[in-house]
Amino acid sequence: MGQMMELTSIKENEAAVKPTVLLVDDRAENLESLEAILENGHITLLKATSGEQALQLLLENDISLVLLDVQMPGMNGYEVARLMRSNRKTRSVPIIFITAIMRDEAASVRGYQAGAIDYIVKPISSSILRGKVSLLLEFDQNKRHLQHAYAKLDNAKAYYESILNAAGEGVLGISQDGTINFANPAALTLLHGGPGIVGKNFADFYPALEDGGHKWESTPIYRCWQESKECRVDDDVFLANDGKGIAVSYCCSPVSGRMRGIVLVFQDISDRKTLEHQLRQQAITDPLTGLQNRTGFKEGFHLSLERAKRSGKTIALMFVDLDYFKRINDTLGHDVGDHLLQAAADRLKECVRPYDLVSRIGGDEFLVMLDELDGIKDVTMIADKLLAALRRPFHLKNGMELGIGASIGISSYPECGHEAENLIQAADVAMYQAKRNGRNLYQFYIPDMNTKARTRLMLDQALRVAVEHDEFELYYQPQVSLADGEVIGFEALMRWDPGSEDSIAPSIFVPMLEETGLIVPMGSWVFSSSCRQRQQWRDLLPDRCTVAVNLSPRQFSDKNLIRDIRKVLEENEMPSYRLEIELTESMLMLDTDHARQVLHELKDMGVKLSIDDFGTGYSSLAYLKLFTLDTLKIDKHFIDHLTTSKKDAAIATSIIQLAHNLDLQVIAEGVETVEQLRVLQDLECDVVQGFYFGRPISTVDVEKFPRMLALH
């Protein structure tokens, strides 16, 4: 009750200005909760659901206090606070951060450095909140009184000092009939005039009024004098002597006695206006590419939708996602990735008309809006143009050339929706379908995709839960020597059985692990688990029997890869020759210098190295010469048709002969029939792996599996 009386006391002084408190939180229910606690009729409450909206309200209103949520999507509380402190209008507005968790002292210090003066921790105590708000609003009211008093003193001081000497601000002494009877040098400079300004009527320097003329009696300065009150205006325009407008803020004070009139003190605020414009631009612009960000795109998109609703024209929205960008960014570094994004943005702009919208909404995702179209034919033409532009090699600063391509999802108004969010979502869904269809193509949205997208989202959520709850296990597929039937190794393969449901194929969940980045922790788990299991079998398996582990592109680009593998081997006391690492051709060719260094260190460690799925990627003899390898694995695709296709048989023969000439071992994957086995024996293949000898089996079944198999 006492705290409510403190809030009420703010209005006791009739001269006090009704304070305005800005509430900023991305969740509507949190804003409603704050409003319910603070609403008492004596303060004005404004609400913002994003950092960008908060900055806009701060520029448009006189805010006494900001209650600011720390964690928000897009622009977070720290960024909002720093931008406020960089702006003259908002730098002194007090900020209270609202946070769900006060993690540590460092987090507190970060908040205070950003500009906060206090914290309130969720769940919010009503009494604490009211108490802090009441105290800060009282300080604000006192500050305003002091500012008002200082302004009066400053104006008086400026008037009298200007008579004696120059002042930094423009100062005009104006008689009651509007005649300028004094102008200091700063005023003469700002108004682009000489001493001739004195004697003119002030109305000549004020923009034309509603009646079309320049009358002193119609100016707000005259009304201030007539009502015998001070007037302060933060944003107005004066006309210079040459007729050009000048952005100004000014204050004027009536003068009584023998010098009846008014003193007008003004300053050029062009720099401030420029800064405010820059802040608005920052709120809607992607700093890396100079394109609009998601907020800016939505603003322009809404306007285009309104025009389309009136004109009946078609609007097409393209969701563009660069193919394999994450791999490039992780492998070659963020500088290369940033340069690639900038170049891609330039190409997108070149492919569309000046009035179409191009935006980068985050990462490697772009939105392109095609305005005022007559039909779908125009959309497909531009989509083909975009794909062709992004397929062309990108020339980087270091002389490197990269080809990426893109996947494009397309939605259209009015067929796919009438609101911006619906159209963006539809284009996003279509883009993911384009990726699943093979990438480097475009896909129009159809309603059935929503069902598939929801299914994929559910699978994505289930996958994250599975990683968190250790729902994965390793199965092992035997690798058999064709020389004597001995089992010379086991390949470790991930399996996911959600429990009550059917197991989910690796071809489904492994790409999703890659896309989400979960492949990194899961890859580490596979290494650690397979090496630990191999050591538990040290008395069951021959000494040279290896465990083969597949390495993902993200793991291969990790700078800590060598350290982590060495640590796993040491922790499990496992000889390095018992570990075989399988890589892909594309992984090696993305950055050959990096690949050569990593493979060299692995070989020095004593680890065996093999190329998985050989023949389906670059199949370049150059990298076989560049890199130190042990084994080539012939892809199952060639083994499937080994006995029915002369071409596949010729390819398999060539791979085996090439490998042997380079002192490399050959493993044939996917061997399922005795006929395939016979052909591979005739071709002198070294090792086979596939369902003919055994499907992937559990650790318990490995212990029962025979060490020698009959080759018939």
Side-chain angles (χ1 to χ4, degrees):
M1 182 68 180
Q3 291 164 344
M4 184 63 71
M5 291 178 63
E6 290 174 2
L7 282 172
T8 305
S9 67
I10 295 172
K11 287 297 294 177
E12 290 180 355
N13 185 347
E14 292 182 356
V17 177
K18 187 176 181 180
T20 300
V21 178
L22 176 59
L23 312 177
V24 186
D25 197 303
D26 63 300
R27 298 175 66 102
E29 61 269 27
N30 292 345
L31 292 173
E32 292 172 0
S33 175
L34 292 171
E35 185 177 27
I37 295 172
L38 297 176
E39 180 60 56
N40 68 342
H42 301 303
I43 60 177
T44 300
L45 295 175
L46 297 179
K47 295 179 288 185
T49 58
S50 67
E52 293 84 353
Q53 186 183 8
L55 292 173
Q56 188 67 31
L57 289 173
L58 281 159
L59 293 173
E60 294 174 350
N61 299 275
D62 185 10
I63 306 297
S64 299
L65 173 64
V66 176
L67 299 182
L68 179 58
D69 186 28
V70 174
Q71 297 296 331
M72 294 186 296
M75 186 181 296
N76 62 31
Y78 299 121
E79 294 169 326
V80 173
R82 283 193 288 271
L83 286 173
M84 285 177 61
R85 293 298 172 250
S86 68
N87 183 271
R88 180 180 297 177
K89 181 177 180 181
T90 60
R91 65 174 52 152
S92 62
V93 179
I95 301 170
I96 297 180
F97 271 161
I98 297 178
T99 181
I101 301 175
M102 182 62 69
R103 293 189 298 274
D104 51 29
E105 183 178 354
S108 302
V109 171
R110 183 185 177 192
Y112 292 130
Q113 289 175 339
I117 64 171
D118 205 352
Y119 270 88
I120 292 180
V121 180
K122 298 177 183 177
I124 296 173
S125 166
S126 299
S127 59
I128 292 176
L129 178 61
R130 290 195 190 102
K132 291 188 176 184
V133 170
S134 173
L135 182 61
L136 288 171
L137 290 182
E138 183 178 353
F139 288 160
D140 178 74
Q141 194 70 8
N142 292 336
K143 181 189 72 174
R144 291 174 185 271
H145 283 308
L146 286 172
Q147 288 174 339
H148 183 71
Y150 286 143
K152 292 178 68 175
L153 290 172
D154 288 343
N155 289 339
K157 179 181 179 181
Y159 177 78
Y160 290 109
E161 285 184 351
S162 66
I163 297 175
L164 301 174
N165 210 339
E169 297 174 316
V171 180
L172 297 176
I174 305 173
S175 66
Q176 58 186 334
D177 64 358
T179 302
I180 298 174
N181 51 39
F182 171 79
N184 73 336
L188 300 178
T189 300
L190 292 172
L191 295 176
H192 302 171
I197 286 177
V198 176
K200 288 188 175 182
N201 194 284
F202 176 77
D204 293 337
F205 299 94
Y206 202 80
L209 303 169
E210 293 181 0
D211 60 5
H214 294 278
K215 295 183 179 179
W216 160 246
E217 291 80 5
S218 300
T219 63
I221 291 88
Y222 173 80
R223 288 194 293 273
C224 289
W225 172 81
Q226 190 178 44
E227 296 170 10
S228 298
K229 67 177 184 180
E230 285 191 349
C231 176
R232 183 179 293 273
V233 177
D234 287 331
D235 192 354
D236 206 340
V237 177
F238 287 172
L239 292 176
N241 207 35
D242 55 8
K244 294 182 179 178
I246 307 169
V248 297
S249 66
Y250 65 84
C251 61
C252 50
S253 300
V255 178
S256 58
R258 289 167 41 180
M259 299 286 293
R260 277 179 65 82
I262 198 164
V263 173
L264 176 67
V265 181
F266 67 99
Q267 59 181 341
D268 188 337
I269 60 168
S270 299
D271 290 341
R272 190 190 86 185
K273 298 283 286 185
T274 299
L275 179 59
E276 290 175 356
H277 175 73
Q278 290 173 347
L279 286 175
R280 291 192 185 96
Q281 288 301 112
Q282 289 174 8
I284 64 172
T285 303
D286 170 45
L288 177 64
T289 62
L291 300 176
Q292 290 179 326
N293 59 18
R294 182 184 287 269
T295 300
F297 183 85
K298 285 184 178 180
E299 290 180 4
F301 196 16
H302 280 299
L303 293 175
S304 295
L305 281 175
E306 292 303 317
R307 288 197 303 270
K309 290 173 183 178
R310 293 192 298 269
S311 67
K313 290 279 190 178
T314 295
I315 293 178
L317 179 63
M318 295 183 175
F319 199 115
V320 182
D321 185 275
L322 304 183
D323 292 336
Y324 306 111
F325 174 78
K326 290 182 176 62
R327 184 182 300 176
I328 293 172
N329 208 36
D330 293 342
T331 303
L332 302 182
H334 293 288
D335 288 342
V336 172
D338 288 349
H339 181 70
L340 190 59
L341 288 172
Q342 291 167 338
D346 291 339
R347 291 191 186 179
L348 290 175
K349 287 189 293 184
E350 292 170 358
C351 292
V352 299
R353 300 160 298 182
Y355 52 84
D356 293 327
L357 293 180
V358 181
S359 166
R360 176 178 175 241
I361 60 173
D364 60 340
E365 296 177 336
F366 297 84
L367 286 175
V368 178
M369 187 208 71
L370 306 176
D371 204 356
E372 297 185 354
L373 298 174
D374 294 323
I376 296 299
K377 181 180 179 181
D378 295 335
V379 181
T380 58
M381 180 184 68
I382 296 176
D384 285 329
K385 189 176 179 181
L386 290 178
L387 288 175
L390 294 175
R391 274 196 299 265
R392 296 199 316 269
F394 287 86
H395 301 277
L396 305 182
K397 294 178 181 178
N398 59 4
M400 182 184 298
E401 284 190 3
L402 285 178
I404 50 172
S407 300
I408 301 178
I410 304 173
S411 63
S412 61
Y413 166 86
E415 292 81 7
C416 300
H418 292 76
E419 302 300 330
E421 282 298 335
N422 295 338
L423 292 167
I424 293 174
Q425 182 181 9
D428 189 11
V429 169
M431 182 274 294
Y432 276 106
Q433 185 60 46
K435 282 190 176 294
R436 289 191 288 273
N437 289 347
R439 301 177 185 263
N440 199 29
L441 48 81
Y442 62 82
Q443 172 70 55
F444 282 89
Y445 171 80
I446 55 177
D448 182 54
M449 290 179 183
N450 265 340
T451 302
K452 294 180 180 178
R454 284 193 292 270
T455 301
R456 180 179 175 81
L457 178 60
M458 293 173 63
L459 183 60
D460 180 87
Q461 293 171 341
L463 187 64
R464 294 178 185 275
V465 172
V467 172
E468 190 173 329
H469 292 85
D470 299 325
E471 294 180 7
F472 292 89
E473 59 181 323
L474 290 180
Y475 273 52
Y476 298 86
Q477 188 171 37
Q479 297 171 333
V480 181
S481 170
L482 287 182
D484 53 13
E486 181 184 5
V487 176
I488 55 93
F490 289 90
E491 181 179 359
L493 300 166
M494 275 196 298
R495 292 294 182 265
W496 177 24
D497 187 351
S500 59
E501 305 174 5
D502 294 333
S503 61
I504 299 173
S507 60
I508 295 176
F509 70 78
V510 171
M512 292 186 67
L513 288 172
E514 278 281 0
E515 291 178 14
T516 59
L518 294 172
I519 194 67
V520 175
M522 287 307 300
S524 298
W525 173 80
V526 171
F527 260 110
S528 180
S529 299
S530 58
C531 289
R532 183 170 58 252
Q533 185 61 62
R534 177 62 186 87
Q535 282 307 91
Q536 290 176 3
W537 290 332
R538 58 181 173 270
D539 296 330
L540 294 173
L541 299 179
D543 179 57
R544 292 285 172 176
C545 185
T546 62
V547 60
V549 179
N550 289 279
L551 195 66
S552 75
R554 284 178 179 253
Q555 287 176 284
F556 191 67
S557 63
D558 187 353
K559 63 181 180 181
N560 297 320
L561 174 66
I562 301 299
R563 183 201 66 186
D564 293 344
I565 292 177
R566 183 178 285 112
K567 181 180 179 182
V568 168
L569 292 173
E570 290 175 352
E571 288 177 347
N572 292 282
E573 299 180 351
M574 175 173 158
S576 57
Y577 57 78
R578 291 179 183 167
L579 175 63
E580 182 171 0
I581 295 178
E582 296 189 4
L583 309 103
T584 63
E585 299 173 69
S586 58
M587 196 186 302
L588 298 178
M589 296 304 292
L590 192 59
D591 184 352
T592 55
D593 290 338
H594 171 76
R596 183 188 292 181
Q597 177 65 29
V598 171
L599 297 187
H600 178 74
E601 294 186 45
L602 288 172
K603 287 303 296 179
D604 283 348
M605 199 187 303
V607 174
K608 294 183 65 177
L609 301 173
S610 67
I611 300 299
D612 198 13
D613 301 333
F614 185 80
T616 61
Y618 290 88
S619 300
S620 170
L621 299 181
Y623 81 76
L624 293 179
K625 176 183 176 181
L626 279 174
F627 306 132
T628 305
L629 303 168
D630 296 289
T631 306
L632 298 184
K633 297 188 74 174
I634 305 176
D635 185 69
K636 182 181 183 298
H637 173 77
F638 300 113
I639 304 303
D640 287 342
H641 306 286
L642 186 63
T643 59
T644 58
S645 169
K646 291 183 178 180
K647 291 183 178 179
D648 285 350
I651 291 174
T653 302
S654 299
I655 293 175
I656 293 171
Q657 291 176 350
L658 172 66
H660 288 168
N661 288 335
L662 294 173
D663 294 326
L664 299 177
Q665 188 181 53
V666 181
I667 298 178
E669 295 184 289
V671 178
E672 299 181 357
T673 68
V674 67
E675 290 80 12
Q676 293 169 346
L677 182 66
R678 292 286 176 259
V679 173
L680 290 169
Q681 285 179 313
D682 292 340
L683 295 177
E684 298 183 352
C685 181
D686 302 299
V687 181
V688 292
Q689 175 181 342
F691 290 175
Y692 181 78
F693 287 110
R695 294 175 178 271
I697 54 179
S698 67
T699 55
V700 174
D701 292 331
V702 169
E703 296 170 5
K704 303 174 184 177
F705 199 80
R707 304 296 173 255
M708 298 288 291
L709 298 172
L711 298 175
H712 56 74

